[in-house]
Amino acid sequence: MKERPIIFSAPMVRAILSGRKTQTRRLVKPAAGRQSEWLTSGLIARSPRLTIGRTNPDGIFGAQMDHPRGGPLGFVACPYYGQPGDRLWVREAFALSVFDPDGLSPEDDPENYDVIYRADPEQPGGGWADSNGNEISAPWKPSIHMPRWASRILLEITAVRVERLQEISEADALAEGIESLTGDKTIYHWDFPKPRPPHAVGGYKSARDAYTQQWVVLNGRESLDANPWVWVIEFKRV
């Protein structure tokens, strides 16, 4: 079993904590050489076969690409997401309290520091505070800089597969953290960034529509239209 870091935005962290999110999709990013040629050539429209679960000679888990008419196109590693049984510790935006009784750094004495997470709700009066009530005024630290000891979420990978982005099913869109609101009719939405995109105010008719529009907001219309290959990582909280 291996542990690797993985970054999630604040809305995705909230979805994981609520139990709604049990999947994540990440772009397949091939290495240089033949695989890059495959991505930019007409072969992408001919649906090359990707067989998950293979390992290359170095023991790296990933997918073997084969031409639809036969013949290998190359190997795509599943970079740091690992394979079933491996674990992912979540990196998210955070801040540290200024309370430091021993004069030691957080790395040397982490138990004397409060970790405040950007994904957590703000206080009634606005803003965030540590456990002593001290307002957090220092800049938030980007998720990429979160050390392992500050992480509060540990995930275990339960399944890995590859598919085209637009192949996502309604059930899988819900597993990506899309919420449903049932009133006179059921509408679907995600945890919108602020300010909320104008086109997203009314919600969507299906979880799948909500997810694809979320992808557009985060990655652009061109990315959705390209219908790229994505890793589908299924997980559970440990």
Side-chain angles (χ1 to χ4, degrees):
M1 181 184 66
K2 297 180 180 179
E3 282 192 7
R4 300 173 176 86
I6 187 170
I7 292 175
F8 281 105
S9 65
M12 296 300 98
V13 168
R14 288 191 286 269
I16 292 172
L17 292 175
S18 71
R20 298 194 323 272
K21 186 172 180 66
T22 57
Q23 290 184 12
T24 186
R25 280 162 171 74
R26 305 294 169 108
L27 287 170
V28 172
K29 296 180 179 180
R34 185 73 180 275
Q35 298 169 32
S36 295
E37 295 172 5
W38 165 75
L39 279 181
T40 57
S41 71
L43 289 174
I44 193 168
R46 302 175 192 170
S47 298
R49 297 190 302 272
L50 270 73
T51 306
I52 195 69
R54 301 289 183 84
T55 56
N56 68 3
D58 295 325
I60 299 174
F61 181 76
Q64 174 65 40
M65 296 186 302
D66 296 301
H67 193 285
R69 295 192 298 272
L73 286 170
F75 179 85
V76 181
C78 187
Y80 57 86
Y81 307 121
Q83 57 186 310
D86 286 349
R87 292 181 172 182
L88 304 170
W89 57 273
V90 173
R91 280 177 158 161
E92 56 181 300
F94 71 108
L96 296 177
S97 68
V98 296
F99 183 60
D100 182 12
D102 299 325
L104 298 176
S105 69
E107 291 75 14
D108 294 330
D109 198 11
E111 61 270 18
N112 285 326
Y113 283 81
D114 278 337
V115 183
I116 297 86
Y117 303 96
R118 187 70 180 269
D120 286 348
E122 296 184 47
Q123 297 197 30
W128 288 261
D130 63 21
S131 59
N132 292 321
N134 298 317
E135 183 177 351
I136 302 303
S137 57
W140 292 98
K141 296 180 183 295
S143 52
I144 189 66
H145 296 310
M146 173 174 273
R148 175 68 181 90
W149 63 264
S151 177
R152 58 174 169 172
I153 302 174
L154 185 62
L155 308 173
E156 181 179 316
I157 297 173
T158 58
V160 182
R161 67 179 188 275
V162 285
E163 67 181 25
R164 287 294 181 85
L165 175 64
Q166 294 184 31
E167 291 176 358
I168 187 171
S169 66
E170 187 73 3
D172 282 354
L174 289 170
E176 279 277 2
I178 298 299
E179 291 185 276
S180 61
L181 299 177
T182 303
D184 295 336
K185 59 180 179 179
T186 301
I187 62 172
Y188 299 85
H189 71 99
W190 72 89
D191 191 343
F192 299 104
K194 297 179 181 179
R196 177 176 293 199
H199 65 273
V201 172
Y204 299 91
K205 294 181 180 180
S206 71
R208 189 175 178 278
D209 286 346
Y211 178 78
T212 55
Q213 289 306 309
Q214 178 193 48
W215 186 277
V216 169
V217 170
L218 297 175
N219 301 286
R221 170 62 62 179
E222 297 81 5
S223 178
L224 177 66
D225 292 343
N227 196 19
W229 288 99
V230 291
W231 297 106
V232 183
I233 314 297
E234 299 183 31
F235 54 80
K236 64 180 181 180
R237 284 189 68 190
V238 177

